[in-house]
Amino acid sequence: MQRNATTRYPILLVHGLFGFERIGRFELFHDVKQALRDVGNRVFVPQLSATHDNEVRGQQLLMQIDRVLAGTGASKVNVIGHSQGALACRYAAALAPEKVASVTSVSGPNHGSEVADLLRKALVPGQIPERTAHEIATQFANFLTLLSGRRTLPQNAVAALGALTREGVSQFNRTYPQGLPTTWGGQGAEVVDGVRYYSWSGVLPAAPTENLLEFNPVHRVCRVLSRHFTVEAGQNDGFVGRYSSHLGSVIRSDYPFDHMDSLRRTHGPSIDPIELYVEQALRLRAADL
């Protein structure tokens, strides 16, 4: 029997750093968008700068929220942000809470990323061991070669990287603290200024099979980057630490996913990441959002 997971307000799926349309055969948000539409939702995917700071991307999101509201006649939207997209969603909700019904952070670096810290330091010679800097820079470059998409909006990779470091996000959080936990690893306020806040994320599962490493290059990159976490060693998805992702009502932060698994269907016996978005739509519907 088809579940009724139609939300009151339209849903916007907001991409993160180096937002793209496809990785090989994989279209970003394709499965998520289709699953949400299948249960009756109006779903939109705004295009933000692939690389820029949180405020610039947040302003772009606000403009596209206005377009969705004008086009649909809705009074608010539900925003779901993946990775850095969560920070753009938080910015929009802070500046225009009357237009945002809910913010859902999926694998969002709400307290910054240790990988961003290391990558930022790698831009300054002598700050970290050369071998470490070389490995991180190489793996990150390998990851970027997998990404493609439009680059019509302004881009600033250095600003984006700085905005994702723990220091950069800490500064952002001082201005936009809505939904943040008051204790490390805790939950934040679920409702702030009439906006509901939710989050979920994953950690890398046990050592993968050779087949997974061979046929999933993104997972391989996440594995390598994961080695450089210290604060959340063994408790991260390759880009974002488990507790760094916490925001508002934490649905769960240890799903067996790498950073990109939270956007696609996995082929193993574990939890279907796409089903989580349908469950969230049901949750929003129950809250009359």
Side-chain angles (χ1 to χ4, degrees):
M1 185 177 192
Q2 180 71 41
R3 289 173 295 175
N4 186 351
T6 305
T7 59
R8 178 179 178 184
Y9 303 113
I11 295 173
L12 273 65
L13 302 172
V14 184
H15 68 75
L17 180 68
F18 293 99
F20 53 86
E21 294 183 1
R22 293 179 183 275
I23 299 179
R25 298 178 182 178
F26 171 65
E27 180 184 0
L28 187 68
F29 287 130
H30 177 272
D31 290 343
V32 178
K33 179 174 62 177
Q34 191 59 52
L36 290 172
R37 286 179 174 170
D38 285 346
V39 293
N41 287 291
R42 294 169 290 175
V43 185
F44 301 87
V45 182
Q47 185 72 21
L48 309 186
S49 290
T51 59
H52 224 302
D53 64 38
N54 304 316
E55 291 82 358
V56 167
R57 300 179 83 249
Q59 283 291 340
Q60 294 169 352
L61 178 57
L62 279 171
M63 292 175 62
Q64 295 188 57
I65 287 173
D66 285 339
R67 292 174 191 159
V68 170
L69 296 181
T72 62
S75 59
K76 295 183 178 183
V77 296
N78 294 299
V79 288
I80 301 178
H82 178 260
S83 194
Q84 192 188 9
L87 302 178
C89 292
R90 289 175 50 197
Y91 176 92
L95 267 64
E98 73 282 1
K99 299 177 183 178
V100 179
S102 71
V103 169
T104 302
S105 167
V106 179
S107 304
N110 292 303
H111 297 271
S113 168
E114 292 185 61
V115 167
D117 289 349
L118 290 171
L119 289 169
R120 187 66 186 88
K121 288 179 181 179
L123 298 178
V124 183
Q127 291 298 303
I128 58 177
E130 183 177 357
R131 181 176 178 179
T132 301
H134 175 74
E135 181 179 11
I136 293 171
T138 299
Q139 292 299 329
F140 191 63
N142 289 341
F143 180 71
L144 299 188
T145 62
L146 301 172
L147 308 182
S148 63
R150 291 176 292 175
R151 295 292 182 266
T152 57
L153 293 167
Q155 310 296 333
N156 189 326
V158 173
L161 192 56
L164 291 171
T165 63
R166 284 178 291 174
E167 179 181 357
V169 177
S170 177
Q171 293 176 1
F172 178 83
N173 287 346
R174 284 195 286 272
T175 305
Y176 312 106
Q178 292 84 348
L180 292 173
T182 56
T183 57
W184 180 249
Q187 302 211 23
E190 183 174 346
V191 182
V192 183
D193 294 335
V195 181
R196 287 184 179 267
Y197 289 84
Y198 305 88
S199 63
W200 77 75
S201 60
V203 298
L204 286 169
T209 64
E210 288 301 318
N211 285 342
L212 178 59
L213 291 175
E214 180 180 356
F215 296 109
N216 189 338
V218 174
H219 185 82
R220 185 169 59 246
V221 171
C222 288
R223 285 276 169 192
V224 172
L225 293 177
S226 178
R227 301 172 193 163
H228 300 286
F229 279 74
T230 55
V231 175
E232 297 195 76
Q235 292 290 311
N236 63 80
D237 64 9
F239 280 80
V240 177
R242 173 183 179 181
Y243 298 126
S244 296
S245 72
H246 282 199
L247 182 76
S249 177
V250 180
I251 297 163
R252 182 175 168 182
S253 58
D254 64 344
Y255 286 113
F257 303 155
D258 67 36
H259 192 65
M260 298 306 294
D261 278 343
S262 52
L263 285 175
R264 63 190 177 193
R265 295 194 187 280
T266 55
H267 299 290
S270 60
I271 299 164
D272 179 3
I274 305 306
E275 179 64 18
L276 299 181
Y277 292 86
V278 177
E279 291 176 3
Q280 180 65 357
L282 288 165
R283 196 175 286 114
L284 295 174
R285 176 181 170 82
D288 194 29
L289 303 178

